[in-house]
Amino acid sequence: MTLQAKETILVLDFGSQYSQLIARRVREAGAFSLLVAPNESLEKLRAHNPKGIILSGGPASVTDAGAPVCDARLFELGVPVLGICYGMQLGCQLLGSQVGKAPAREYGRTKLHVKVAKDLLQGISSPATVWMSHGDQVTGLSNDFEMLASTPTCPAAAVKHRTQKFWGVQFHPEVTHTPCGVDILRNFLQEACGCTGSWAMADFLDEEVARVRKQVGKDRVICGLSGGVDSAVAAALIARAVPGQMTCIFVDNGLLRKNERDLVESAFRHHFDVELKVVDARKEFLNDLAGIEDPQEKRRRIGHRFIDVFQRAAKEVRGGVKFLAQGTLYPDRIESGQSHAGTAASIKLHHNVGGLPEDLGFELVEPLKDLFKDEVRSLGEVLGLPSALVWRHPFPGPGLAVRIIGDVTEERLALLRECDFILLEEIHAANLYRTTSQVFAVLLPVRSVGVMGDGRTYDSVVGIRAVESSDFMTADFCRLPWEVLARVSSRIVNEVSGVNRVVYDISTKPPATIEWE
C-alpha cells in the first residue's frame, strides 16, 4: 500500500490559525490529511490522488489585491471540495458568487439555523451552536448555489453548489466551540468524499517501513538518539525496516537533564538491537554557545555542531554511512514554515528542520515527518516500545539551551538541572506525569530580591511551565494543584542555591509557544 493508496484529504492552507486543527480533525475521523500551499499546481494536487480537498480559513479578504488564491481549475479534479470561512468565500467567488463586507463583523459563538438537513448538515440539530470569525461573507449567492443554513447576520452560512462538488461553511467546524463540527466534517469525509475511515497507525507503519526500506536499500543509517519519544520511535521503525543496518548515536552535548545520559544508555542498550555509540561533546557545544543569547542563533549553532559531531562519528561506523535518520514531526515542519511554501509563517527554527548546514553530507530519513505527537506515541505502542519511552514528555533538541533565557553557562545549566529534577520528581509523586503533556523549568534572565534567614538575597528567578495538548500545535496551561506548586516552589528555593523566586507560566499556545525560546 503506497502513500497514494491512502484515503488522503488535502488541506489548502490560506493562513488560518486553525489550519492544523482541520488536518487533525480529518485524521481523527480516519482519513489521512496533508497541509499544502494554496498555490500548489493542479498537477501536484492530482499527484496526491486526493479523496477530497478542504480550503482553510485565512486572515486576508478575497477582495484584496494579492490575496492568496488557489488554481481556478481546482474543480476540474472532480473531487469534493469543502470551503471553510475564507475558503468558502474564495470557492463561491470562483464559482460566480459575490463576496463583500458583512453588515456586522461576526466573532464568537452564534446560532446556526439549518434549512436543509442533508448532505453536509445531515443529522445536525437546528439551531446549532457554531463559532464564527469573519468580516467578509458571501453577499450575492449565485443561482447555481443552494443555501443550507443561516445565522442572524449571515444569510449564507452554509451552501452547496448544485452541479459542482463544492460545499462551503462560513463558520469553523474544526474548533471545539462548534460542538457539531466533528459531525459536519465526518459528513463531508464519508458522505461526500466516500472515505471509509479506515486509515490506522498499523497501516502507516507498514507503509513507512516499506518506504524506508526502499529509500535506504542496502546502505547504512545513523540515527541520533535524544532519549525522547520521537527519536526512539524513529529508531525502532528504521530498525524494523532495515535490521542490522543502523547505528544509533547519542551525543552528550552538555545541555541534558540530570542523569539523562545514564538513562538513555540504559534504556536503549536494553530495548534496541542496534549498535549504540555515545559521544561526549560537552565542551564543544558549550564553547559554541558562549556569550550567545539569541534563541535562533543558539539553535543554528547547536544544529551545526550536531552535524559536525555526527560526521566525525559516522566515519567510525563500519561500512560507511549514507543516511541520517531524524525524528522530525509534522508540527516541527509547520512551525518552521517548511511543511509547505506560501502562507505558513516561521515561528521558530527547529534544529532538525532549518538549522542544518547546507553541506549535510547525509541523505535524510524522516519516518515521522507527517505525524503529530500523539500519533507518534500511538506508533510507538504499535512498535511495542516500553511505555516509559512512549509516554515520556517532549524534550527539545537544543536541550536546556533554549530553557535558559540568555547566556548558557555551566553554572546556569547546573542550577536549571536541579530545579527541573525537583519539578519532575514532584509531578511524578503527585501522579500527574501522564495527565500532563509537558512540564519543565525555565531559568529567567532576571534576578530578584529575597530574604533568607536574616539576610537579603538577590538571586535567580525560575519559571515553571506545564501544558496539556493533544497535538502540540495548540496547548493550554495545566491547572496544577496549588499544593503541588507549593511543594515545588518550596523545594527549589530551599534546595537549589542561587534561586529565591519561582513563578508559574499561565500562557496558552497561541499566542505563546510551549518552549520559551
Side-chain angles (χ1 to χ4, degrees), residues 224-231 250-257 260 285 289 298-303 305-306 310 326-328 332 348-353 356 373 393-403 438 515 517:
L225 293 179
S226 67
V229 61
D230 303 340
S231 60
F250 174 69
V251 177
D252 185 349
N253 57 14
L255 309 171
L256 306 174
R257 289 169 290 193
E260 187 84 9
F285 279 90
L289 293 171
K298 288 180 184 179
R299 291 176 180 271
R300 289 189 185 94
R301 290 185 177 222
I302 291 168
R305 179 58 62 184
F306 175 76
F310 254 67
Q326 293 190 151
T328 308
D332 297 339
K348 60 185 178 181
L349 183 66
H350 286 266
H351 82 289
N352 56 351
V353 178
L356 303 179
K373 176 67 73 171
H393 285 185
F395 186 63
L400 298 181
V402 291
R403 292 180 178 175
Q438 196 168 355
E515 297 286 347
E517 288 193 341

Side-chain angles (χ1 to χ4, degrees), residues 105-350:
R105 174 166 168 71
E106 205 168 15
Y107 183 82
R109 290 183 176 88
T110 190
K111 292 298 181 182
L112 181 77
H113 298 277
V114 178
K115 300 183 182 299
V116 182
K118 65 178 184 180
D119 295 330
L120 195 66
L121 302 182
Q122 180 178 329
I124 304 302
S125 300
S126 182
T129 300
V130 297
W131 181 265
M132 288 284 200
S133 178
H134 69 101
D136 291 351
Q137 65 186 36
V138 176
T139 54
L141 193 63
S142 162
N143 289 332
D144 292 328
F145 279 89
E146 179 181 9
M147 190 169 64
L148 304 179
S150 64
T151 70
T153 61
C154 183
V159 300
K160 173 188 178 182
H161 197 275
R162 299 183 191 277
T163 58
Q164 297 281 4
K165 297 179 180 179
F166 177 74
W167 290 259
V169 292
Q170 184 58 66
F171 54 90
H172 288 274
E174 70 273 21
V175 302
T176 55
H177 303 307
T178 301
C180 62
V182 172
D183 296 321
I184 292 173
L185 288 173
R186 186 176 293 112
N187 283 342
F188 175 70
L189 296 173
Q190 296 180 357
E191 302 301 325
C193 302
C195 293
T196 60
S198 60
W199 184 74
M201 195 50 64
D203 298 324
F204 177 88
L205 174 59
D206 292 340
E207 296 165 18
E208 197 59 25
V209 163
R211 191 196 65 78
V212 170
R213 189 172 292 147
K214 180 179 179 180
Q215 180 187 5
V216 173
K218 299 296 183 181
D219 291 301
R220 292 198 62 80
V221 184
I222 53 174
C223 179
L225 293 179
S226 67
V229 61
D230 303 340
S231 60
V233 173
L237 189 151
I238 294 170
R240 177 175 294 194
V242 287
Q245 294 175 230
M246 181 171 64
T247 298
C248 288
I249 298 178
F250 174 69
V251 177
D252 185 349
N253 57 14
L255 309 171
L256 306 174
R257 289 169 290 193
K258 188 174 182 179
N259 302 327
E260 187 84 9
R261 178 170 171 173
D262 293 339
L263 288 171
V264 169
E265 285 197 75
S266 174
F268 285 98
R269 290 194 191 282
H270 286 91
H271 295 291
F272 288 85
D273 184 19
V274 295
E275 180 184 4
L276 175 63
K277 294 173 64 68
V278 177
V279 182
D280 189 336
R282 289 175 290 183
K283 289 185 179 179
E284 295 173 77
F285 279 90
L286 290 179
N287 287 339
D288 289 342
L289 293 171
I292 303 301
E293 296 187 359
D294 180 73
Q296 297 292 69
E297 184 61 22
K298 288 180 184 179
R299 291 176 180 271
R300 289 189 185 94
R301 290 185 177 222
I302 291 168
H304 279 268
R305 179 58 62 184
F306 175 76
I307 291 301
D308 179 63
V309 172
F310 254 67
Q311 287 173 327
R312 281 184 278 138
K315 293 178 181 178
E316 302 174 3
V317 176
R318 56 185 174 83
V321 174
K322 181 178 179 180
F323 294 94
L324 168 64
Q326 293 190 151
T328 308
L329 305 189
Y330 206 27
D332 297 339
R333 298 197 296 135
I334 292 169
E335 291 192 335
S336 300
Q338 295 190 22
S339 63
H340 56 75
T343 58
S346 179
I347 298 170
K348 60 185 178 181
L349 183 66
H350 286 266

Side-chain angles (χ1 to χ4, degrees), residues 21 67 91 93 95 148 203 220 244 264 335 357 431 435 470 484 515:
L21 284 179
Q93 185 182 69
L95 293 171
L148 304 179
D203 298 324
R220 292 198 62 80
V264 169
E335 291 192 335
N431 200 29
T435 58
S470 62
V484 174
E515 297 286 347

